[in-house]
C-alpha cells in the first residue's frame, strides 16, 4: 500500500491519501465510539491542547474534558447524520480557555470530532458575510463570458480571504489543467495561462476533490501529527480521513506548494454536472494564514454557486458559438445556392470559413487545387495533403495531431497540427480544410518563456514552470482538439453543400434533357427542310436551264447572263443544302463503332485525295505509326478528309506540307493535322466551327460551304471526343482532336 511513508513521484498516483494516519497540526482530532462517545483514537497533539496525558484521553468518554452542553449539541447533530459525509459545525467550544471550532462527521461505525484551534477572533465583517456573498453572486450573474466570470470569482474570493494569490484552474479533457484566471498581489510571479500535465494532480486527489468541497492548510510547514493508535483497535483498519478537515496531506503536494513559495493554501472544488471541472486554488506567500471557519464556509458556499453558474455560463457560451457557426453556415450556403463560386463565398466574402469554426487558417480545394486564407501550409503542401486525404474513407476527417498520421505535416506543424477536412462532394479532390496551430505555441505565456527549467531533477519536477515545460512536451505537435459541436457544424455544412450539388445536378439534368430534345427537333427540321427544299430548287434549276437553251440567240445577252447567274446560284444553294442534309443526318444516324486501323484509314484518305494533292503540289506526311482505335470508320475518314482538304486549301506557301500524326498526353490519345498554311487569327479559333462560317470569300482558296469543320465537330461529339486548334497566322495551323471511345 502506498501511503505518506513510501510515496514518491513514480507511485503518487496510487497513494492512499485518505489513510495518512496523521493530521494537520492546527487542531486535534478524536475518534469516538457511540453510545458513550468514548475516545478510541486521538491525534497525539490532543494531549498538549487538552493538557492531559494521552492515557487520560484514550478509552475515556469525551465528557471528561468537554463541556456537557457541547457534548449534548454534538449528540443532537449526530442524530441527524447517519452516513459518512462532510463535517458539520457543532459550535465553538472553549477548552482550557482556548477556543476551538468543533466539527463532527461519521466514519464507518465511528464518529470523528475535529477541534480546530481559533488563532484569531472572528473577523469583524463576519456578520455581513452573507450580504457580501450575496452581492458577489449578483455580480457574477451579470458577467458576459466565462472568462469575465472567472476573473471576478477569483478576485471576490481573494477579497474575502486575503490570500496573496487566487487562481481558477480548469481541467482539460486529457486531464491536464490550465490557469484560466488569477488574482495576485504583492508582486508575486503570475501563473496565469500556465498549463500542467495530468500527473500534477494524481487520481487519489481528484477523488477527494469530489468528496470535500474545500480543503485548507493554514501552514504548509506543519509536522504531521500521528494518530494513536494508528489503526482501529477493534477492526484493525487504518482510519479513513476522506472527509476530515485535519487530514494530513500528501508529502508530494506539500513539497509542490513549498517549491512554489507557498506557506498556506486553500482549495475549492468546481463541479459541472457532477464532474470535476476545475479548482479555485488560494495561496499565501507571505507566511502561514489560517482562514477562520465562517469565511471558509462563505467561500465554500460561493464555490458552490460558482459551480452552478459556471455550468450555465459555459452552456451560454457554447450556445452562442453554436449559433454563430449556424448563422455563418447558413449565410455561406445561402449564397452558394445562387452561385458556384466556392472560393469567393468561402474565402473572399464575409463571413467566411475563418468566422465559421475557430481555426487559424483554411483552404478551399477544387479539383485538387487549393485556395488559401489565414495561417496555412504552402499551396504545394496542401495539394499533397489532399492527395493523401483522398485515400481516407471518411467525408469528415479530423485530427489534433496531423503529423502522427501524415509525417509530411511535421514541416508545418506550427500552423497545422490540427486539421478538420470536409469532403464537399462525391469527388475526392474537392475539400474544405480548416487548420489549427500547434497548441503549445498558442498558449498564453506568463512570465519569461525562456526562463531555464531543468526537468531532470525530481525536486524541480514539482515546480510550476518545470511542470509547465513538461506539459509543453506532452502537447508537442498537437492542436486544441475539435469539439463535438464543431464536428457537427462541419457535418451540417457538408450536408448543405451536398444538397446544393444534388439540386444543381437535377437542374442540369432537366436542362440537358431539354437541350437534347431541342437538338433532335432541330436535326429533324434541318433534315426535312433541306430534303424538301432540294425538290423545288431542282425545278428552278431545270427550268432556268431549259429557258436558257430554248431562248439561245433570242434573249438579249444581259438577260441571258442573269439567267446564268440564277443557275449558278441554284447550284451553290444545292451544295449548301447537301451540307445541311449531311449535317442533319449525322444527328439522326447511329455510329457504327468498330476497331479502326487509323494508319490504313489515313492512307486511304490520302489516296482518294491523290489528284488534288498532286495539283496543289503539297507534301502530305504521316508521322510515326497511327494506332488502332474504336470509331465509326466512314465518319472518322470524313474527319481526316475534311481536315486534310482544309490543310491543303488554306496554304499560299511555295513549299506546302501537311503532317498527320498522334501523341499521347496524360494517357489520352490525341490526333493532329498540321499545315504550314495561312493560319487562323486567335479570335476565330472558336467560330470557324459554326455552320456556314467562312473566313474568306467564296472564290478564294478553292471555295467551300463553310460546313466542313461543323461536321467534323459533330462527328467527334458523337464519339465523345473534342477538337481544338492552335495556329499562328502566316505560319500554319494544327487541328488536334480526341476520340472519346478510343481504347
Ligand atoms: P470551308 O468549307 O470553307 O473550308 P470549314 O468549315 O472547313 O469550311 O472551315 C471554316 C473556315 O475555317 C474556312 O473557311 C477557313 O477560313 C478556315 N480554315 C479551316 N481550316 C483551315 C486551315 N487549315 N488553315 C487556315 N484556315 C482554315
Amino acid at each position: 500500500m502506498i501511503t505518506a511513508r513510501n510515496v514518491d513521484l513514480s507511485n503518487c498516483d496510487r497513494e492512499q491519501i485518505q489513510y495518512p494516519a496523521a493530521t494537520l497540526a492546527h487542531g486535534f482530532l478524536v475518534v469516538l465510539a457511540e453510545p458513550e462517545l468514548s475516545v478510541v483514537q486521538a491525534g497525539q497533539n490532543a494531549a498538549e491542547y487538552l493538557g492531559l496525558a494521552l492515557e487520560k484521553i484514550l478509552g475515556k468518554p469525551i465528557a471528561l474534558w468537554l463541556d456537557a452542553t457541547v457534548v449534548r449539541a454534538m449528540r443532537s447533530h449526530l442524530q441527524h447524520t447517519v452516513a459518512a459525509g462532510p463535517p458539520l459545525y457543532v459550535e465553538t467550544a472553549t477548552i482550557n480557555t482556548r477556543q476551538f471550532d468543533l466539527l463532527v462527521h461519521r466514519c464507518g461505525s465511528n464518529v470523528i470530532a475535529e477541534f480546530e484551534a481559533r488563532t484569531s477572533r472572528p473577523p469583524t465583517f463576519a456578520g455581513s458575510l452573507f450580504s457580501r456573498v450575496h452581492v458577489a453572486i449578483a455580480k457574477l450573474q451579470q458577467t458576459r463570458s466565462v472568462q469575465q466570470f472567472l476573473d471576478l470569482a477569483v478576485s471576490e474570493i481573494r477579497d474575502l480571504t486575503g490570500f496573496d494569490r487566487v487562481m481558477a484552474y480548469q481541467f482539460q479533457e486529457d486531464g491536464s489543467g490550465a490557469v484560466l484566471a488569477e488574482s495576485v498581489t504583492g508582486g508575486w510571479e503570475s501563473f496565469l495561462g500556465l498549463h500542467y500535465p495530468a500527473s500534477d494532480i494524481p487520481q487519489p486527489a481528484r477523488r477527494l476533490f469530489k468528496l470535500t468541497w474545500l480543503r485548507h492548510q493554514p501552514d504548509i510547514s506543519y509536522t504531521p501529527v500521528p494518530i494513536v493508535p494508528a489503526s482501529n483497535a477493534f477492526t484493525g483498519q487504518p482510519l479513513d480521513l476522506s472527509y476530515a478537515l485535519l487530514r494530513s496531506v500528501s508529502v508530494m503536494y506539500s513539497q509542490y506548494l513549498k517549491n512554489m513559495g507557498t506557506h498556506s493554501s486553500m482549495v475549492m472544488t468546481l463541479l459541472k454536472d457532477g464532474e470535476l471541472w476545475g479548482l479555485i486554488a488560494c495561496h499565501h506567500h507571505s507566511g502561514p494564514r489560517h482562514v477562520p471557519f465562517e469565511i471558509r464556509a462563505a467561500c465554500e458556499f460561493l464555490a458552490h454557486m460558482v459551480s452552478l453558474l459556471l455550468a450555465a455560463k459555459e452552456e451560454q457560451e457554447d450556445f452562442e458559438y453554436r449559433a454563430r457557426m449556424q448563422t455563418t453556415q447558413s449565410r455561406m450556403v445561402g449564397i452558394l445556392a445562387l452561385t458556384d463560386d466556392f472560393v469567393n463565398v468561402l474565402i473572399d466574402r464575409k463571413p467566411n470559413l475563418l468566422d465559421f469554426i475557430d481555426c487559424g487558417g483554411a483552404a478551399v480545394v477544387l479539383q485538387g487545387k487549393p485556395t488559401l486564407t489565414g495561417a496555412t501550409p504552402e499551396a504545394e503542401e496542401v495539394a499533397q495533403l489532399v492527395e493523401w486525404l483522398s485515400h481516407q474513407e471518411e467525408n469528415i476527417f479530423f485530427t489534433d495531431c496531423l503529423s502522427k498520421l501524415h509525417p509530411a505535416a511535421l514541416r508545418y506543424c506550427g500552423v497545422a497540427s490540427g486539421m478538420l477536412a470536409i469532403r464537399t462532394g462525391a469527388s475526392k479532390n474537392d475539400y474544405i480544410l480548416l487548420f489549427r496551430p500547434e497548441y503549445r505555441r498558442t498558449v498564453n505565456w506568463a512570465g519569461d518563456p525562456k526562463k531555464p527549467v531543468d526537468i531532470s531533477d525530481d525536486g524541480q519536477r514539482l515546480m510550476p514552470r518545470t511542470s509547465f515545460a513538461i506539459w509543453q512536451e506532452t502537447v508537442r505537435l498537437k492542436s486544441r482538439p475539435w469539439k463535438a459541436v464543431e464536428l457537427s457544424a462541419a457535418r451540417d455544412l457538408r450536408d448543405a453543400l451536398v444538397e446544393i450539388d444534388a439540386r444543381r445536378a437535377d437542374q442540369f439534368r432537366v436542362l440537358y434533357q431539354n437541350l437534347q430534345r431541342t437538338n433532335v427537333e432541330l436535326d429533324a427540321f434541318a433534315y426535312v427542310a433541306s430534303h424538301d427544299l432540294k425538290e423545288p430548287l431542282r425545278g428552278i434549276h431545270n427550268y432556268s436551264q431549259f429557258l436558257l437553251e430554248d431562248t439561245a440567240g433570242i434573249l438579249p445577252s444581259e438577260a441571258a447572263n442573269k439567267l446564268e447567274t440564277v443557275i449558278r446560284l441554284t447550284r451553290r444553294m444545292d451544295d449548301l443544302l447537301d451540307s445541311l442534309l449531311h449535317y442533319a443526318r449525322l444527328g439522326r444516324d447511329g455510329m457504327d463503332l468498330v476497331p479502326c486501323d487509323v494508319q490504313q484509314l489515313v492512307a486511304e484518305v490520302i489516296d482518294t485525295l491523290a489528284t488534288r494533292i498532286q495539283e496543289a503540289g503539297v507534301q502530305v506526311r504521316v508521322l510515326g505509326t497511327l494506332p488502332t482505335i474504336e470509331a465509326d470508320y466512314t465518319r472518322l475518314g470524313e474527319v481526316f478528309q475534311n481536315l486534310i482538304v482544309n490543310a491543303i486549301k488554306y496554304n499560299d506557301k511555295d513549299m506546302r506540307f501537311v503532317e498527320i500524326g498522334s501523341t499521347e498526353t496524360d494517357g489520352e490519345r490525341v490526333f493532329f493535322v498540321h499545315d504550314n498554311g495561312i493560319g487562323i487569327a486567335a479570335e476565330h479559333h472558336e467560330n470557324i466551327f459554326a455552320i456556314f462560317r467562312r473566313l474568306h470569300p467564296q472564290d478564294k482558296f478553292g471555295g467551300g460551304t463553310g460546313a466542313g469543320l461543323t461536321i467534323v465537330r459533330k462527328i467527334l461529339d458523337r464519339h465523345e471526343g473534342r477538337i481544338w486548334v492552335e495556329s499562328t497566322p502566316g505560319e500554319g495551323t494544327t487541328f488536334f482532336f480526341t476520340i472519346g471511345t478510343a481504347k
Side-chain angles (χ1 to χ4, degrees):
M1 188 162 99
I2 308 300
T3 64
R5 274 183 299 277
N6 55 357
V7 66
D8 62 33
L9 266 172
S10 67
N11 61 18
C12 59
D13 215 30
R14 286 174 289 134
E15 182 183 353
Q16 303 278 338
I17 55 174
Q18 68 272 41
Y19 303 125
T23 71
L24 301 174
H26 68 287
F28 67 94
L29 167 153
V30 286
V31 181
L32 306 171
E34 285 173 302
E36 298 86 9
L37 297 182
S38 53
V39 178
V40 288
Q41 282 172 287
Q44 213 163 39
N45 59 349
E48 293 136 48
Y49 277 116
L50 297 176
L52 285 171
L54 264 186
E55 307 81 72
K56 295 260 167 72
I57 301 171
L58 284 169
K60 309 276 184 322
I62 194 169
L64 271 187
W65 44 269
L66 189 63
D67 195 81
T69 52
V70 182
V71 176
R72 251 198 313 278
M74 187 156 79
R75 280 190 192 282
S76 98
H77 265 84
L78 287 171
Q79 266 171 10
H80 303 295
T81 35
V82 282
L88 282 173
Y89 170 75
V90 179
E91 63 178 71
T92 304
T94 309
I95 307 171
N96 294 343
T97 73
R98 276 194 84 165
Q99 288 208 309
F100 295 88
D101 289 326
L102 167 60
L103 292 106
V104 290
H105 72 281
R106 287 187 183 279
C107 170
S109 56
N110 290 133
V111 171
I112 295 179
E114 295 174 273
F115 295 83
E116 213 183 27
R118 281 206 98 104
T119 48
S120 58
R121 300 175 56 76
T124 47
F125 57 78
S128 61
L129 256 183
F130 174 74
S131 59
R132 283 190 67 160
V133 170
H134 185 82
V135 171
I137 291 170
K139 282 202 276 182
L140 283 169
Q141 258 168 335
Q142 283 162 14
T143 54
R144 315 195 108 237
S145 64
V146 171
Q147 185 60 54
Q148 241 183 28
F149 176 83
L150 293 174
D151 286 343
L152 184 66
V154 291
S155 94
E156 287 294 330
I157 288 176
R158 211 177 58 74
D159 252 16
L160 268 176
T161 57
F163 276 107
D164 289 329
R165 176 199 307 278
V166 179
M167 295 179 282
Y169 181 93
Q170 186 195 7
F171 293 111
Q172 321 277 306
E173 264 165 41
D174 61 359
S176 69
V179 179
L180 296 194
E182 181 185 47
S183 174
V184 62
T185 53
W188 299 101
E189 183 195 7
S190 169
F191 294 144
L192 185 64
L194 294 193
H195 287 61
Y196 301 115
S199 55
D200 267 22
I201 300 184
Q203 275 311 323
R206 287 174 203 246
R207 187 184 75 84
L208 289 192
F209 284 151
K210 278 167 93 176
L211 294 184
T212 59
W213 286 58
L214 185 144
R215 291 147 309 275
H216 179 35
Q217 245 182 299
D219 187 356
I220 308 280
S221 309
Y222 75 100
T223 311
V225 182
I227 291 173
V228 276
S231 301
N232 188 303
F234 299 108
T235 61
Q237 293 292 318
L239 185 60
D240 183 350
L241 293 179
S242 290
Y243 288 103
L245 299 171
L246 292 175
R247 180 176 58 82
S248 185
V249 301
S250 166
V251 288
M252 302 312 290
Y253 180 49
S254 294
Q255 191 55 48
Y256 190 81
L257 292 173
K258 275 184 202 155
N259 288 351
M260 271 171 120
T262 304
H263 291 286
S264 164
S265 92
M266 185 168 101
V267 178
M268 283 158 278
T269 303
L270 297 178
L271 293 177
K272 186 186 165 191
D273 301 330
E275 287 308 312
L276 199 56
W277 182 93
L279 303 171
I280 289 184
C282 313
H283 292 174
H284 209 55
H285 299 289
S286 353
R289 180 172 192 83
H290 184 191
V291 179
F293 171 74
E294 300 84 336
I295 296 185
R296 277 180 3 233
C299 286
E300 189 178 330
F301 177 67
L302 201 56
H304 273 277
M305 291 315 290
V306 166
S307 283
L308 290 175
L309 289 174
L310 184 71
K313 286 279 164 210
E314 272 207 330
E315 236 143 69
Q316 183 188 340
E317 228 172 58
D318 246 22
F319 177 79
E320 279 167 14
Y321 184 32
R322 231 177 306 188
R324 191 189 90 195
M325 289 192 287
Q326 230 162 37
T327 323
T328 310
Q329 186 217 296
S330 54
R331 283 180 63 184
M332 293 191 303
V333 168
I335 307 173
L336 273 179
L338 307 174
T339 158
D340 51 6
D341 191 344
F342 262 58
V343 170
N344 176 270
V345 177
L346 298 175
I347 288 188
D348 301 339
R349 277 169 179 270
K350 272 282 194 188
N352 56 37
L353 286 178
L354 295 184
D355 307 298
F356 176 48
I357 289 178
D358 290 342
C359 63
V364 171
V365 184
L366 296 173
Q367 307 276 307
K369 270 217 195 92
T371 310
L372 310 173
T373 179
T376 65
E378 300 291 326
E380 180 82 349
E381 293 165 330
V382 174
Q384 277 171 16
L385 188 58
V386 168
E387 214 301 294
W388 171 77
L389 263 177
S390 66
H391 301 291
Q392 309 298 324
E393 281 305 311
E394 300 89 340
N395 290 322
I396 303 283
F397 182 91
F398 64 96
T399 171
D400 59 2
C401 187
L402 184 57
S403 56
K404 201 160 79 187
L405 307 172
H406 179 59
L410 266 176
R411 253 179 302 152
Y412 45 83
C413 62
V415 286
S417 276
M419 180 188 68
L420 170 55
I422 306 168
R423 189 174 286 155
T424 53
S427 155
K428 291 201 161 183
N429 284 320
D430 296 347
Y431 284 95
I432 288 174
L433 304 178
L434 304 177
F435 298 112
R436 264 186 187 160
E438 190 181 19
Y439 194 13
R440 65 173 195 149
R441 299 193 198 195
T442 55
V443 288
N444 179 15
W445 280 94
D448 177 8
K450 294 190 197 78
K451 206 166 173 174
V453 280
D454 178 5
I455 304 175
S456 57
D457 174 3
D458 261 11
Q460 282 277 320
R461 166 74 177 72
L462 296 170
M463 306 270 285
R465 289 228 160 259
T466 322
S467 185
F468 178 50
I470 289 167
W471 172 80
Q472 286 231 314
E473 269 318 296
T474 64
V475 294
R476 243 180 73 75
L477 305 177
K478 278 187 152 186
S479 78
R480 225 160 28 79
W482 301 94
K483 292 187 195 162
V485 283
E486 294 169 328
L487 297 177
S488 118
R491 248 172 240 122
D492 287 350
L493 177 65
R494 181 185 137 80
D495 289 349
L497 294 178
V498 168
E499 199 187 300
I500 289 183
D501 227 28
R503 233 185 299 156
R504 205 165 278 156
D506 261 359
Q507 285 168 352
F508 272 130
R509 202 168 38 245
V510 172
L511 207 65
Y512 180 70
Q513 281 166 352
N514 284 345
L515 263 178
Q516 252 189 341
R517 208 182 46 241
T518 320
N519 260 344
V520 169
E521 282 166 6
L522 262 179
D523 282 349
F525 170 76
Y527 183 77
V528 171
S530 47
H531 186 266
D532 292 2
L533 281 177
K534 279 186 80 89
E535 208 38 50
L537 190 65
R538 200 168 299 130
I540 297 171
H541 178 267
N542 290 347
Y543 281 112
S544 307
Q545 191 75 44
F546 294 150
L547 198 59
L548 196 63
E549 282 165 17
D550 293 352
T551 57
I554 310 169
L555 216 57
S557 68
E558 201 184 327
N561 279 347
K562 283 185 179 149
L563 214 49
E564 265 169 11
T565 308
V566 170
I567 293 171
R568 204 162 26 85
L569 285 176
T570 55
R571 255 191 230 118
R572 168 96 186 123
M573 192 155 169
D574 195 50
D575 283 351
L576 288 176
L577 284 177
D578 276 345
S579 301
L580 192 59
L581 202 57
H582 187 90
Y583 176 75
R585 204 170 270 148
L586 275 178
R588 295 159 63 90
D589 299 349
M591 294 284 130
D592 184 16
L593 299 182
V594 290
C596 304
D597 177 351
V598 183
Q599 183 78 21
Q600 173 173 348
L601 181 140
V602 169
E604 281 171 21
V605 171
I606 294 173
D607 212 31
T608 323
L609 297 174
T611 336
R612 209 162 166 173
I613 292 170
Q614 225 171 17
E615 277 171 12
V618 184
Q619 279 234 2
V620 179
R621 303 192 277 263
V622 176
L623 309 181
T625 314
L626 301 174
T628 294
I629 59 163
E630 185 110 333
D632 183 310
Y633 196 86
T634 323
R635 301 296 183 203
L636 186 59
E638 223 176 310
V639 168
F640 276 107
Q641 174 152 347
N642 266 309
L643 295 177
I644 296 171
V645 167
N646 278 353
I648 297 169
K649 273 199 303 191
Y650 300 105
N651 201 327
D652 53 3
K653 304 276 159 41
D654 292 337
M655 300 281 288
R656 305 176 186 189
F657 68 82
V658 177
E659 286 171 344
I660 301 144
S662 92
T663 58
E664 197 161 310
T665 317
D666 295 337
E668 195 179 31
R669 173 66 59 190
V670 179
F671 294 95
F672 63 84
V673 175
H674 169 71
D675 63 54
N676 65 337
I678 59 170
I680 305 169
E683 67 261 35
H684 296 304
H685 283 189
E686 193 42 43
N687 57 30
I688 46 171
F689 294 102
I691 194 157
F692 303 141
R693 181 65 192 232
R694 318 192 66 257
L695 301 181
H696 309 283
Q698 213 219 320
D699 51 1
K700 262 194 120 178
F701 298 110
T705 59
L709 289 179
T710 318
I711 288 171
V712 165
R713 171 124 96 181
K714 179 101 175 189
I715 294 173
L716 294 175
D717 264 1
R718 299 227 41 202
H719 281 87
E720 286 166 19
R722 293 175 292 126
I723 180 163
W724 66 99
V725 62
E726 281 174 15
S727 178
T728 313
E731 285 184 21
T733 303
T734 312
F735 280 94
F736 296 93
F737 69 88
T738 63
I739 294 276
T741 49
K743 296 262 150 58

